[in-house]
Amino acid sequence: MTVTVIGVDGKTLPAGASAALDEADLVVGTRRQLDAHAPDRARTIELGSIESMVTDLTVAAHAVVLADGDPGFFGVVRSLRENNVRLTVLPAVSSVQRVLAAIGRPSDDVVVVNAVDEDTVRALNVCRARPAVAVLGLGPAALALALRGWRRTLVVAEDLGGPDEKMSTVDLAEAAARPWGEVNVVVCLAEAERVPPRGWIAGAQPISGGWALPEDDFSHRDGMVTSAELRALALARVAPAPGTLVWDVGAGSGALGVECARLGAAVLAVERDPMQCLRILANASKYGVDVRVVEAELLAAISGLPAPDAVFIGGGGEAVIRACTTVGASRIVVALASIDRVGPTQAALKAADYRVDGCQLSVARMTEHSDGSTRLAADDPVTLVWGVR
């Protein structure tokens, strides 16, 4: 038999829903949905584990499942299909659409994450990286606490379609402090009033112009920027991606961190020099990415930072490397100008159960003589050591 799944927004039903309910001999939904829409003659079951209801749904002559909004959008349709239930779906407007419509904001740049179970940390990292994220499955207080240090505004939707429907726009401090009712969705915004730039693909915009950008594309102090060639290999070893958090330690100009952010990762740059911190912010702004800057020595700040997936160490001694091995990162990449530091770095990573590898980068770039002929000019070699768990 085919089960009809009906999206409910609390007030109206989509076209065709009334006819399906009139024929139903079994209706599944929340108590509020059943009280509002189930016909008196139909048997009703309160929505719980789909696996426990599959038999009831498939043996009924006409079964209906009521679900909030668009049930195919992080909803019950997936669970039913995974249990081989044949479906007809009549969707309503999703909770994400309703919230964005209520605040009059375009939706085509908004990333949607489902922050449940093992996906919670990845969802938080998307909120740290992207300017507009709709979060399902995580309350505003927990979200606000996890985003301390990032500048965000939260739009919270409570009891959508119910008698206590409410929409609140709050900063992180208020979100963490006040009690909340039944939360449907939280929209996390870097700039609440900003109209996003026009794009051509919904959600996170892909990067343009490639990566491992030339040094002069970044504001930097002479010699205090990683070379494009070094960044190309470091990016491959750091493996930034949406849902990951990268620490850029001893960040300098922040070129490596900015490139990680352009590839979708959340980035936290640690740099003790206040002028370099300003350069990091300028470089991040130039490329339209969000890099959180911590102006401090890593050893002084490390206890208050969220755990990273990967760490790039562009500056700092052995104590910094050893400290980074304790934070649970699956990848640590260290750039070393001095060959004398390779052995201690390798030992520190191995002692922390990392599988260690590395190479020395010797680059000779093409340049022109005054007569127009081409020669190769060698840069100072740099050794890259990386550890993977």
Side-chain angles (χ1 to χ4, degrees), residues 332-336 341-343 345-346 349 356-359 383-387:
I332 298 178
V333 181
V334 188
L336 302 169
R341 294 184 56 199
V342 173
T345 298
Q346 184 181 29
L349 293 174
V356 182
D357 207 340
C359 68
T383 302
L384 206 65
V385 178
W386 58 87

Side-chain angles (χ1 to χ4, degrees), residues 125-126 129-130 204 207 240-244 258-267 289:
N125 285 334
V126 174
R130 297 296 307 165
I207 66 168
T244 62
V258 169
E259 295 240 43
C260 289
R262 294 180 71 236
L263 292 167
V267 177
V289 295

Side-chain angles (χ1 to χ4, degrees), residues 354-367:
Y354 285 89
R355 188 176 69 252
V356 182
D357 207 340
C359 68
Q360 187 178 81
L361 293 179
S362 299
V363 177
R365 292 180 171 177
M366 294 173 58
T367 62

Side-chain angles (χ1 to χ4, degrees), residues 291-373:
V291 174
R292 177 184 166 189
V293 179
V294 177
E295 185 184 325
E297 294 274 5
L298 176 75
L299 299 179
I302 191 169
S303 63
L305 303 180
D309 296 281
V311 180
F312 176 77
I313 303 174
E318 292 175 35
V320 167
I321 296 170
R322 287 195 299 269
C324 288
T325 65
T326 68
V327 296
S330 60
R331 296 167 178 263
I332 298 178
V333 181
V334 188
L336 302 169
S338 171
I339 194 69
D340 295 337
R341 294 184 56 199
V342 173
T345 298
Q346 184 181 29
L349 293 174
K350 283 187 173 180
D353 296 325
Y354 285 89
R355 188 176 69 252
V356 182
D357 207 340
C359 68
Q360 187 178 81
L361 293 179
S362 299
V363 177
R365 292 180 171 177
M366 294 173 58
T367 62
E368 278 195 6
H369 280 296
S370 57
D371 62 2
S373 61

